Amino acid sequence: DVMPPGTTFSAGEAIARLQGVAERELMVNRLRSRVAFMEQLRDSSRAEGSGDAARQAEVKLALRKQDLTNAQAALAELEIRPKMAGEIAELMVQKGAAVKPGAAVFRVRATGARATFGFGVEDAARARALTFCRIETVPGTGGVDGGAIEVKARAIDCALSPATGGDAVEPRLAVDLVGASGVAPGTEIRLASGRYDGVFPVPRSAVVREGTVDHVWIVPGGRRVAESRAVGLGASIDALALIAHGIAVGDAVIVDPPVTLKTGSEVEVVQ
């Protein structure tokens, strides 16, 4: 099943579906219902104070979530979902025709938001070699052609576009913004050059080294006392240290801790 030429689509929308997709889609919907049921069962067991029932529900929930992930992956094999918005310009395979893996089905033209960068040759090559694409909007920019001004920074997924420009000395790199509704023309953006998963960025001044061990002073969630915590650093970028392990969501990190600070000291969180 395919959309006809002239059809516009949004980023992530299925524009083509292979035979057999209905069965896999039905399985995904069934598993979503099972996941929702197990979440409800877990929450109700916790509310009733039944620890054993809650743990059993948690185990079954994890299994159902894995089943759902596998089913969604199987469904994705039978669908074409572009990462950017656009319009179908040409249909290269007729509806109902047999297709081989890797066969071209459409030619599309992008209609979504696009950003361009004027890079040097080396920077352009580095950007094209990245295995991901992520941009951040710059607050206080935009407003061209009556568009709104960005009030705060937003992180947005993107995809490298085949659109090019410039010359050999200053090539222009284009990226299509995925799901970037509301980004005004003229908005300045930054292109991410690295990605770090599962880390907490904190000011480098918050990290205290004692011998060969790095520590941060934290205020654990829901408490008002200082606690020294050994941490593992993943990397340092400019004025930020990326903590790979040692702190958790909800911990408040003390910036520029005084040398007189001791474990158990009462603190007042002001920011």
Side-chain angles (χ1 to χ4, degrees):
D1 188 15
V2 293
M3 290 183 174
T7 304
T8 58
F9 55 85
S10 57
E13 182 179 359
I15 64 174
R17 294 154 62 89
L18 294 174
Q19 186 176 8
V21 71
E23 292 80 0
R24 297 190 185 187
E25 189 172 44
L26 179 61
M27 178 58 69
V28 167
N29 292 335
R30 286 176 176 172
L31 288 171
R32 280 181 179 151
S33 297
R34 294 298 299 170
V35 167
F37 172 76
M38 296 310 302
E39 287 177 338
Q40 184 179 14
L41 180 61
R42 176 202 58 192
D43 294 342
S44 61
S45 298
R46 287 176 177 174
E48 295 171 358
S50 178
D52 291 340
R55 283 189 291 272
Q56 292 178 8
E58 192 70 51
V59 171
K60 293 180 180 178
L61 175 61
L63 293 175
R64 297 292 83 78
K65 284 185 174 180
Q66 185 58 54
D67 291 340
L68 176 58
T69 298
N70 295 338
Q72 288 172 328
L75 175 61
E77 293 177 346
L78 300 184
E79 295 180 324
I80 297 177
R81 294 178 177 267
K83 295 182 178 180
M84 59 183 180
E87 177 184 342
I88 297 175
E90 180 184 357
L91 181 59
M92 304 174 68
V93 176
Q94 296 301 315
K95 181 176 179 178
V99 293
K100 296 181 179 180
V105 179
F106 297 106
R107 293 188 190 278
V108 301
R109 58 174 64 95
T111 59
R114 173 173 291 169
T116 57
F117 298 88
F119 283 150
V121 176
E122 292 184 1
D123 287 337
R126 285 181 54 202
R128 290 192 180 96
L130 294 174
T131 58
F132 70 100
C133 189
R134 186 83 164 167
I135 63 98
E136 181 184 63
T137 60
V138 177
T141 64
V144 176
D145 298 331
I149 295 178
E150 285 290 307
V151 178
K152 61 181 181 179
R154 285 192 287 164
I156 301 171
D157 288 328
C158 57
L160 287 178
S161 171
T164 57
D167 51 37
V169 177
E170 188 180 359
R172 299 194 66 82
L173 182 78
V175 297
D176 293 308
L177 309 190
V178 180
S181 59
V183 177
T187 300
E188 295 181 14
I189 64 173
R190 304 184 184 98
L191 181 66
S193 60
R195 180 174 63 187
Y196 300 87
D197 296 323
V199 297
F200 292 92
V202 301
R204 293 181 65 178
S205 60
V207 180
V208 179
R209 169 151 289 205
E210 297 179 2
T212 59
V213 181
D214 294 309
H215 293 259
V216 296
W217 287 93
I218 69 166
V219 180
R223 302 177 61 188
R224 287 296 182 266
V225 295
E227 177 182 318
S228 179
R229 187 81 59 81
V231 296
L233 296 184
S236 293
I237 301 176
D238 298 329
L240 293 178
L242 306 183
I243 297 181
H245 58 82
I247 60 177
V249 175
D251 292 337
V253 176
I254 300 177
V255 179
D256 294 320
V259 295
T260 56
L261 191 62
K262 296 181 180 180
T263 297
S265 299
E266 292 187 3
V267 297
E268 181 181 354
V269 178
V270 295
Q271 182 174 353

